[in-house]
Amino acid sequence: MHWADAFIQKIEGPQVISTGISPSGPIHVGNMREILTGDIVFRAARSKGLPVKFIFLSDDIDPLRKVYPFLDESFREHVGKPLYEIPSPKGEGTYADHFMAPFRDSLEKLHIQVEILRSSQLYESGKFYEVIKTAIAEKDRIARILREVSGRELEENWFPYSPKCSSCGKINQATATSFTDPYVSYNCKCGHSGKSDIRKGEGKLPWRVEWPAKWHLLGVTIESFGKDHGSAGGAYDSGKRIVEEVFGTPAPSYLIYERILLKGEGAMHSSTGIVIESSEALRFMPPESLRFLIARNSPLRHIEFDPKDFYLNFMDDYEKYFNAYFKKDTVSDPDLDAVVRYSSLEKPVGPIEPSYRHLVTLVQIYPDEKKLLHGLSLGGYAAKNIAGEMGDRIALVKYWLDNYAPESIKFSLLPRGTEVKLETAEQDILKEFLSQAESLNWTAQSIHDSVRSISLKDGGEPMTAFRAFYRVLIGKDRGPRLGFFLSEMDKKWVIDRLGECLS
RNA sequence: GGGCCCGUAGCUCAGCCAGGUAGAGCAUCUGGCUUUUAACCAGGUGGUCGGGGGUUCGAACCCCCCCGGGCCCGCCA
């Protein structure tokens, strides 16, 4: 059984599934596992017939923790301020919006229908008022839980609410001194003393308290989160006790997921720069294939993502599943159906033709868009399919070729008129081919047969013959399978090109 | 110190949550086909399921102990 179905099998009743990310940097493919895991469980719950809501909380009131490698020094002064009150690293808007915008875009492309909430809004609108009050009233109880669960002592003057200093704007510098509803008095390290209104977003709960407060407030019943929160003594353990013992609501069920590693480099993490942003990934991956990456692998397994050398194998795999769903291929995975459904944007669409791998060759034969469409029609792909969706797929392939493809699979056709030095044997072979070419049936098989039979004359090596074609056409000694390669090109163009190289 | 995950064919993994006598892809071998961006078709070889103990008529699967690998335990997916 598929992992999402197995999980939801044990769940009954109405559900609120929640995930969240702090928009402190580029949101990358690793982050996408959080929300895609949630989305897939959401779909599983829906198909089981459970009433279900799916929400995403952008933790935009979280303070900026440090000047990340992708920021310049001018951000030093903003460290400690809430992300939604810091200017964007580029252009207009806020820091939080800057990193949320491409993420929202990705959500749309991936067809993730989630209600996006912002923590700043929950605080500013006063929604958190009651829970903050409860947390302050139950300060000692919460402190005891945190001590017991994490096994660490809290700071002397620990307080379950971090006021934002109205003078310096930082949310992690002030020390709370007292509470007189609805104001928390504080002294800030910047020298300012003041009062923070807990109804107005002038401060926040610390993470370990905020999480259970969120569960309580939003009625969260299911949450997916990374393994770091799931460790014994981690945020889930303390959150569970706080939500149950202090707020009086049951803790959500959960799915813990493993990290996504970038092949050969390590875990994706904004602060290390080992990262492929989700919006970047979607410039060369069909959205279904990114969903597939998450849907197919159990959350408990780490995923090694390789956008370069083995990427085409991954794409083969993804297409194989979709094609198998439409009975054009076979896959032995008993979860085939579920994997394809959860990878699809809505209903599964397929089979997928031509393959991504095939397009990689076609796009390089025909860098010009119009000629490419013509080339596709030569291959028997109906024109009406070419316009919209095919155009998108072509754009993905091109972007991949330009930015990620290994050199060994790249080539470009030499323009007409390019001079190429050929050995006599090679010239003879091309001449021989040209003499047959006019009458040759222009299909992959017959072209291949023809070249092969020519090459074998007089005890020649096939290598010599094939190499001659590649040298003349792409200036390399190797290239795509020749019969297939030539058949995708205009016959006259090929004949003219070969001819001019002999004169 | 504590926790989680992984350990099944040479490699990558499925099967474990509802115990019933081990699967897939790749690699390899055989035959066919065949220069080539990890070609294709048919068939075969290949595993003390990390080790040990327990429960059971029966364990890869459930329980306990151990070994090896990865990750996590202020904040952070």
Side-chain angles (χ1 to χ4, degrees):
Chain A
M1 188 186 295
H2 187 269
W3 56 263
D5 298 319
F7 173 79
I8 215 70
Q9 194 179 32
K10 303 172 215 151
I11 308 274
E12 293 298 340
Q15 302 298 320
V16 176
I17 301 173
S18 169
T19 65
I21 295 174
S22 173
S24 56
I27 295 176
H28 51 80
V29 172
N31 296 124
M32 294 314 285
R33 195 166 200 181
E34 164 111 4
I35 189 144
L36 274 169
T37 302
D39 185 53
I40 289 164
V41 170
F42 171 60
R43 289 194 187 184
R46 224 173 29 186
S47 40
K48 187 183 171 178
L50 304 179
V52 60
K53 247 176 81 174
F54 183 29
I55 59 182
F56 174 91
L57 186 62
S58 166
D59 291 317
D60 64 347
I61 200 171
D62 289 2
L64 180 68
R65 307 208 180 280
K66 60 175 179 181
V67 182
Y68 293 104
F70 51 85
L71 296 175
D72 65 60
E73 272 304 309
S74 68
F75 276 82
R76 177 83 47 201
E77 61 166 307
H78 298 304
V79 172
K81 295 183 191 171
L83 299 173
Y84 79 112
E85 292 184 332
I86 299 173
S88 162
K90 277 188 194 113
E92 303 191 349
T94 70
Y95 187 100
D97 289 342
H98 173 75
F99 291 111
M100 279 299 287
F103 175 67
R104 285 171 183 272
D105 245 35
S106 301
L107 292 184
E108 199 161 313
K109 285 186 179 159
L110 292 163
H111 219 266
I112 297 173
Q113 291 169 313
V114 64
E115 184 185 339
I116 300 181
L117 304 173
R118 297 186 301 155
S119 63
S120 61
Q121 281 276 301
L122 295 180
Y123 282 101
E124 285 186 332
S125 66
K127 286 219 172 70
F128 262 127
Y129 173 52
E130 290 294 337
V131 272
I132 293 172
K133 230 163 64 170
T134 306
I136 293 173
E138 301 286 340
K139 169 176 178 274
D140 294 339
R141 211 150 132 201
I142 293 175
R144 183 162 46 83
I145 292 172
L146 290 178
R147 273 197 299 267
E148 286 174 7
V149 172
S150 72
R152 285 166 211 269
E153 275 310 308
L154 298 174
E155 285 176 35
E156 182 100 12
N157 46 13
W158 184 83
F159 196 77
Y161 179 82
S162 312
K164 179 174 73 184
C165 173
S166 63
S167 173
C168 70
K170 299 191 177 182
I171 207 166
N172 59 357
Q173 299 290 307
T175 307
T177 53
S178 65
F179 175 62
T180 311
D181 192 9
Y183 299 105
V184 170
S185 303
Y186 62 83
N187 299 320
C188 182
K189 284 181 190 159
C190 75
H192 178 77
S193 293
K195 287 181 176 178
S196 159
D197 188 332
I198 64 171
R199 301 167 303 182
K200 295 185 177 167
E202 296 175 359
K204 76 185 286 287
L205 296 164
W207 159 245
R208 287 222 184 205
V209 183
E210 186 177 81
W211 206 20
K214 174 188 113 176
W215 295 338
H216 169 71
L217 197 72
L218 304 176
V220 175
T221 60
I222 296 172
E223 176 129 2
S224 63
F225 50 86
K227 71 188 301 181
D228 43 345
H229 295 320
S231 288
Y236 181 81
D237 278 0
S238 54
K240 178 179 163 66
R241 286 196 54 190
I242 291 170
V243 76
E244 288 174 351
E245 296 174 27
V246 178
F247 299 129
T249 42
S253 308
Y254 58 92
L255 263 107
I256 296 178
Y257 58 86
E258 271 283 356
R259 290 164 181 263
I260 296 185
L261 314 176
L262 198 54
K263 180 84 169 181
E265 301 198 55
M268 280 203 207
H269 205 293
S270 309
S271 62
T272 55
I274 300 175
V275 135
I276 292 188
E277 293 182 36
S278 61
S279 51
E280 169 71 7
L282 290 171
R283 296 180 76 170
F284 62 92
M285 298 177 80
E288 290 94 335
S289 71
L290 181 53
R291 295 190 63 102
F292 175 78
L293 183 71
I294 307 301
R296 187 188 134 171
N297 293 291
S298 157
L300 298 176
R301 280 197 143 339
H302 75 242
I303 293 174
E304 264 192 89
F305 180 65
D306 182 357
K308 296 180 180 163
D309 297 350
F310 287 78
Y311 174 67
L312 288 181
N313 292 70
F314 166 73
M315 292 305 292
D316 288 345
D317 239 17
Y318 144 69
E319 288 171 350
K320 201 171 167 62
Y321 268 71
F322 271 71
N323 291 336
Y325 184 89
F326 290 97
K327 310 289 180 214
K328 299 282 187 187
D329 204 333
T330 52
V331 164
S332 68
D333 189 337
D335 295 328
L336 167 69
D337 250 54
V339 169
V340 171
R341 277 187 290 107
Y342 292 140
S343 302
S344 297
L345 303 187
E346 292 187 65
K347 291 240 159 40
V349 176
I352 299 173
E353 287 179 320
S355 69
Y356 195 96
R357 195 182 275 279
H358 187 149
L359 282 176
V360 163
T361 302
L362 285 178
V363 158
Q364 296 185 89
I365 297 174
Y366 302 109
D368 179 88
E369 193 87 8
K370 278 180 190 152
K371 288 182 183 159
L372 173 57
L373 296 187
H374 174 66
L376 276 166
S377 64
L378 284 182
Y381 303 104
K384 60 176 177 175
N385 292 334
I386 290 173
E389 186 202 337
M390 187 67 75
D392 294 344
R393 294 189 62 209
I394 288 165
L396 298 174
V397 168
K398 283 189 167 174
Y399 191 82
W400 181 74
L401 278 166
D402 288 343
N403 296 282
Y404 295 92
E407 284 308 312
S408 62
I409 75 158
K410 290 205 240 182
F411 69 84
S412 59
L413 284 185
L414 296 176
R416 287 286 305 275
T418 309
E419 294 205 18
V420 174
K421 275 187 195 162
L422 292 173
E423 295 163 15
T424 319
E426 292 174 330
Q427 290 180 5
D428 292 344
I429 287 161
L430 295 184
K431 272 179 203 155
E432 177 72 21
F433 179 78
L434 281 177
S435 72
Q436 308 178 0
E438 288 297 349
S439 58
L440 195 61
N441 190 10
W442 203 246
T443 64
Q445 191 60 50
S446 52
I447 293 169
H448 174 81
D449 291 344
S450 162
V451 174
R452 180 172 163 74
S453 66
I454 293 169
S455 73
L456 292 175
K457 271 190 189 169
D458 312 321
E461 282 288 320
M463 174 74 178
T464 316
F466 287 92
R467 195 178 56 200
F469 282 87
Y470 294 124
R471 285 184 171 172
V472 166
L473 294 169
I474 62 175
K476 294 171 77 170
D477 286 352
R478 298 165 73 84
R481 304 189 71 184
L482 192 68
F484 153 74
F485 185 40
L486 294 191
S487 72
E488 296 288 354
M489 283 189 272
D490 184 70
K491 184 175 179 178
K492 182 171 181 306
W493 189 91
V494 173
I495 289 173
D496 291 349
R497 171 65 185 149
L498 296 182
E500 75 180 16
C501 289
L502 292 172
S503 54

